[in-house]
């Protein structure tokens, strides 16, 4: 498979995911939205409640093992799925794990700081640090490097999994491979899709999938739904990742800026904050398909998909693939807000 992607085989990869994940039809949601919707179940990638981070972390853990690391250091939001899956992978490999929890979401209650991914991280034995300013990406990045320096001074061999720009987007390689997985599945089943709808946060998923599809000569539209920052800044981020991927793989720059589609109409009031459209989308998916979405990511992406269907960016009866990127444990950290929403 990797021969389709230039130099991809030179990047060490430690398998963590149960692949391929299934693509399921969503008939009741389809009828509701006037589309032919199917769902790529990357919430079912296996390790520790799964999600898109298992595919991304395969390349970071591959690099960590190649570097002889015995300790993982990682940063993310308080309810980060990335941190949870990294802690689980570290546990499985017998590595120590230090996690930095960034306070990105204002006005959250005690449950948010104890339940969901925080509970799971504690069960996994992660050593937790707090970083007060979740909007300061460069500062959070420096702070994890400082944690690693302290660990190094203690004789440990830490490997830092970075989230901020300025590091090669190794995690996006997991979604370059996922693009090939999707293309193979569509070919095997003789089906066709017009568009994929995907979360755009760090952008590793969005950029990897877009780059992978274009490198395979597929012109399927990729709609990124902004979950972290507004569209103009996110376009730059995705473009940057795609340029870096071309360089890392020794391939042509197959993604033009015009090909980067972003919708930020459901982001407000900001990262990790529930809004009415997102709460509605979470309830809709549960009641149409028995499918759980989370407030920070997949709920917002479904809300974005609903908006793109309503404004006809997604044409009526188009074949649309929703990438379910996981996040299920975070649902429990938003229990009180969701219960309020459900009150008659
Ligand atoms: C991290 C995450 C995303 C966003 O993916 P990026 O690769 O960071 O853009 C989407 N959904 C879930 C559930 C996530 O945990």
């Amino acid at each position: 498979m990797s021969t389709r992607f230039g130099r991809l085989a030179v990047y060490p990869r430690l398998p963590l995911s149960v692949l391929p994940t299934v693509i399921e039809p969503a008939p009741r949601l389809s009828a509701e939205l006037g589309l032919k919707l199917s769902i790529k179940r990357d919430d079912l990638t296996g390790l520790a409640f799964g999600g898109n981070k298992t595919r991304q972390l395969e390349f970071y853990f591959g690099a960590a093992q190649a570097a002889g690391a015995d300790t993982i250091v990682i940063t993310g939001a308080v309810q980060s799925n990335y941190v949870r899956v990294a802690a689980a992978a570290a546990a499985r490999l017998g590595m120590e794990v230090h996690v930095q929890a960034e306070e990105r979401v204002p006005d959250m209650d005690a449950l948010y700081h104890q339940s969901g991914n925080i509970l799971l991280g504690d069960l996994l034995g992660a050593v937790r640090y707090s970083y007060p300013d979740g909007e300061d990406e460069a500062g959070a990045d420096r702070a994890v490097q400082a944690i690693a320096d302290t660990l190094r001074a203690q004789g440990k061999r830490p490997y830092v999994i970075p989230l901020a720009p300025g590091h090669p987007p190794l995690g996006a390689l997991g979604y370059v491979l996922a693009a090939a997985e999707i293309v193979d599945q569509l070919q095997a089943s003789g089906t066709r899709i017009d568009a994929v709808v995907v979360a755009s946060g760090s952008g590793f998923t969005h950029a990897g999938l877009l780059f992978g599809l274009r490198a395979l000569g597929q012109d399927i539209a990729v709609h990124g739904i902004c979950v972290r920052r507004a569209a103009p800044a996110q376009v730059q981020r995705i473009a940057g990742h795609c340029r870096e991927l071309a360089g890392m793989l020794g391939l042509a720059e197959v993604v033009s800026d015009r090909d980067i589609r972003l919708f930020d109409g459901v982001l407000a009031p900001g990262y990790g904050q529930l809004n009415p459209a997102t709460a509605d989308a979470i309830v809709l998916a549960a009641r149409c398909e028995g499918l759980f979405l989370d407030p920070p990511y997949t709920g917002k992406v479904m809300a974005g998909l609903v908006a793109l269907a309503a404004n006809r960016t997604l044409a009526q009866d188009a074949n649309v693939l929703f990438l379910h990127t996981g996040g299920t444990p975070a649902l429990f950290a938003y229990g009180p807000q969701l219960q309020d929403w459900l009150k008659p």
Side-chain angles (χ1 to χ4, degrees), residues 25 65 96 99 103 106 129:
Q65 279 204 322
E96 208 174 289
V99 312
E103 292 291 343
Y129 307 72

Side-chain angles (χ1 to χ4, degrees), residues 26-45:
R28 283 180 21 87
L29 258 179
S30 296
E32 193 70 34
L33 301 177
L35 301 168
K36 295 196 200 81
L37 184 69
S38 48
I39 303 178
K40 174 73 170 163
R41 296 294 304 271
D42 270 14
D43 56 323
L44 303 180
T45 53

